[in-house]
Amino acid sequence: MEKPDKHHIIRIIHTADWHLGQTFYDHSRKKEHLHFLSWLQNTAQERGADVLLIAGDVFDSPNPSAESQKIFYRFLKELNATCPHIQVIVIAGNHDSAARLEAPNPLLETMNVSICGIVKKDESGQIISDNLIVPIQKSEETVGYVLAVPYLRQGDYPDAKTYTAGVGNLYRLLFDQVKDEQKPVIAMGHLQATGSEISINDHAERTIIGGLEAISPDIFAPEIRYTALGHLHRAQQVSKRENVRYAGAPLPMSFAEKHNKQGVWFIEVENDETHIEKIFYDTPVKLWSIPSLPSKSKFTLSEILEEISQLPEGKKNSNSPFLEVKVHIAQPEPSLRHQIEETVANKAVRLARIEAVAPQKDSNSETITFEELRTISPMEIALDSYKRKFGGEEMPVEMQELLQGIIEEKL
């Protein structure tokens, strides 16, 4: 059986979750994405990368804008011009349209780009595994294989009782196709693995995860040299498996991700050894929060305004930090937004988010019947809701009168 060439070193860059086209609280991130892609192109050139793995969620939407698509394809073109020998392998994520992402494959193949989005099947319903196995080429010689498995939906995997079993069966099917070639095998996936960490209170990540079952990293055969995952936004290894990793998103997708360390993984595969290194990326736009101390339990409007006043002054631009403000309120503050916006007007930050935090009152809620619900007036519901939200405080008389007028007008 053919032995692997001892002189072959495969240099790989693993990235994922670009989410091109994402807006951050209505702020465009185009310049941030362009900055990252320029950095990635330079990094690939400096490191002499042979392979760039993009593990899904290239776009933020299955129907990306023309501008987002232009950014992606221009990057591929410029990368090919700068690094003509680099091989780019892309899988579709759950945010991508698999068919749309795959569509330009005939043109992209001329730039050594392979995109795997759809799990194809033959007339009998059997998975066509060749479409998900991409040979790694160096000097016109196959030196390894990539199991390029996109985000899997129901029916995309061999028959199994559960989703997790089906995913495992697919990876085993693909690995069995190449394991006897005596060449390094790399796996790709866009999934949530057991033992992985998500950011606390991160709505962006939890929405992405949906309700799918987590996949054990044990489905990846121990002989697989490296598994490049996408889906979660925090770069990490999975269940203490040194060679199973998430690349993380190059830009924080929410304020809950502001402490994540962005970058890419750089992997060198040589003979029986695999070296993994984190290359850090310094994002051009920072995320700031007020209050700056998360342990502070109460933060009144006056305290918040005082902290804002300490921010650096200057004009806002596309590199100005994004700012979120959390304010503790005991009752409605009609001028809250106006006061905050006025205080931040001359500061060199972009106000992205204001959250009014009301005290939570412990209560034993009782289930009521539909008939009982019909006997409750809209005003009673509003008064009860107000009391629950504002720690037992009664709704001001002026607000009650205004609300009552609206109710009578609508009824």
Side-chain angles (χ1 to χ4, degrees):
M1 192 171 292
E2 183 183 355
K3 298 283 185 179
D5 190 329
K6 293 183 181 298
H7 298 291
H8 279 310
I9 302 176
I10 308 174
R11 298 179 177 87
I12 302 167
I13 289 179
H14 167 206
T15 180
D17 297 281
W18 293 359
H19 290 273
L20 298 178
Q22 190 227 13
T23 56
F24 196 79
Y25 298 95
D26 296 327
H27 294 278
S28 170
R29 310 200 81 176
K30 176 182 176 180
K31 289 187 177 180
E32 293 177 81
H33 280 124
L34 289 175
H35 186 278
F36 166 71
L37 294 177
S38 176
W39 173 87
L40 180 60
Q41 180 179 330
N42 291 335
T43 300
Q45 184 179 21
E46 291 170 0
R47 294 297 184 115
D50 302 302
V51 183
L52 173 65
L53 304 178
I54 307 174
D57 281 357
V58 175
F59 299 108
D60 193 55
S61 164
N63 187 28
S65 66
E67 182 178 57
S68 299
Q69 295 179 73
K70 185 176 181 179
I71 289 173
F72 178 51
Y73 297 122
R74 177 174 289 172
F75 165 76
L76 295 177
K77 179 181 178 181
E78 293 178 352
L79 178 67
N80 179 256
T82 305
C83 309
H85 301 296
I86 196 170
Q87 187 172 353
V88 181
I89 303 174
V90 186
I91 60 172
N94 59 302
H95 277 240
D96 300 311
S97 165
R100 183 188 294 271
L101 202 61
E102 265 199 10
N105 255 341
L107 296 175
L108 296 177
E109 287 172 357
T110 62
M111 295 190 293
N112 212 12
V113 176
S114 302
I115 298 181
C116 299
I118 301 172
V119 178
K120 297 179 175 65
K121 297 183 179 181
D122 60 22
E123 294 180 355
S124 65
Q126 297 300 308
I127 292 173
I128 304 175
S129 57
D130 290 350
N131 291 327
L132 303 176
I133 300 174
V134 182
I136 300 175
Q137 303 284 333
K138 288 192 73 172
S139 302
E140 299 183 354
E141 178 184 351
T142 298
V143 296
Y145 295 94
V146 174
L147 312 182
V149 179
Y151 176 75
L152 298 174
R153 294 176 170 81
Q154 297 293 329
D156 283 343
Y157 43 81
D159 289 339
K161 292 183 178 180
T162 65
Y163 177 82
T164 53
V167 174
N169 289 343
L170 178 57
Y171 278 100
R172 280 186 285 273
L173 170 68
L174 299 178
F175 181 70
D176 287 344
Q177 301 292 315
V178 296
K179 66 181 181 181
D180 293 332
E181 296 294 325
Q182 297 297 303
K183 299 181 188 299
V185 177
I186 308 297
M188 296 180 72
H190 194 88
L191 50 82
Q192 183 190 355
T194 56
S196 54
E197 297 180 3
I198 62 175
S199 303
I200 298 174
N201 297 324
D202 189 352
H203 177 72
E205 268 193 342
R206 292 181 184 275
T207 299
I208 291 170
I209 293 169
L212 291 179
E213 299 176 53
I215 307 299
S216 169
D218 293 337
I219 68 168
F220 305 113
E223 296 88 351
I224 293 176
R225 303 296 289 274
Y226 182 80
T227 299
L229 297 179
H231 204 36
L232 299 187
H233 296 165
R234 178 185 297 177
Q236 58 188 289
Q237 64 184 74
V238 178
S239 296
K240 299 182 179 180
R241 290 276 294 270
E242 178 70 18
N243 65 336
V244 181
R245 299 184 179 235
Y246 285 98
L251 302 179
M253 298 288 104
S254 71
F255 282 100
E257 299 178 17
K258 64 178 179 288
H259 296 304
N260 289 359
K261 302 296 183 183
Q262 278 73 32
V264 298
W265 294 112
F266 181 67
I267 305 98
E268 287 187 316
V269 177
E270 181 178 13
N271 296 336
D272 295 328
E273 296 185 355
T274 303
H275 302 283
I276 304 170
E277 175 190 351
K278 179 65 178 287
I279 305 177
F280 290 96
Y281 168 63
D282 186 20
T283 56
V285 177
K286 308 305 178 186
L287 305 186
W288 292 356
S289 298
I290 289 182
S292 54
L293 298 176
S295 59
K296 188 174 175 61
S297 58
K298 291 189 177 182
F299 24 94
T300 64
L301 180 56
S302 59
E303 291 175 316
I304 291 300
L305 295 177
E306 173 60 28
E307 192 164 341
I308 292 176
S309 69
Q310 305 302 315
L311 295 175
E313 295 188 359
K315 293 183 178 180
K316 300 170 181 28
N317 57 51
S318 59
N319 288 329
S320 297
F322 291 119
L323 176 69
E324 75 164 343
V325 176
K326 294 184 178 182
V327 188
H328 179 276
I329 57 173
Q331 60 184 13
E333 294 276 359
S335 65
L336 182 145
R337 174 170 288 275
H338 173 73
Q339 292 186 61
I340 291 175
E341 290 177 345
E342 190 175 60
T343 308
V344 84
N346 297 321
K347 303 299 180 180
V349 296
R350 288 176 288 174
L351 182 61
R353 175 174 183 260
I354 299 175
E355 179 183 357
V357 182
Q360 297 296 315
K361 181 184 178 183
D362 294 331
S363 62
N364 296 320
S365 59
E366 298 180 358
T367 302
I368 62 174
T369 66
F370 175 70
E371 291 300 323
E372 291 173 326
L373 181 62
R374 292 179 63 184
T375 66
I376 303 174
S377 69
M379 178 58 78
E380 288 177 306
I381 295 174
L383 291 173
D384 182 67
S385 176
Y386 185 97
K387 186 177 291 187
R388 288 172 181 271
K389 184 173 183 180
F390 296 102
E393 293 286 332
E394 296 289 345
M395 182 185 292
V397 176
E398 297 82 357
M399 186 176 290
Q400 291 187 41
E401 293 175 349
L402 179 61
L403 182 58
Q404 184 62 42
I406 296 173
I407 291 172
E408 291 175 356
E409 183 179 327
K410 295 296 182 181
L411 291 179

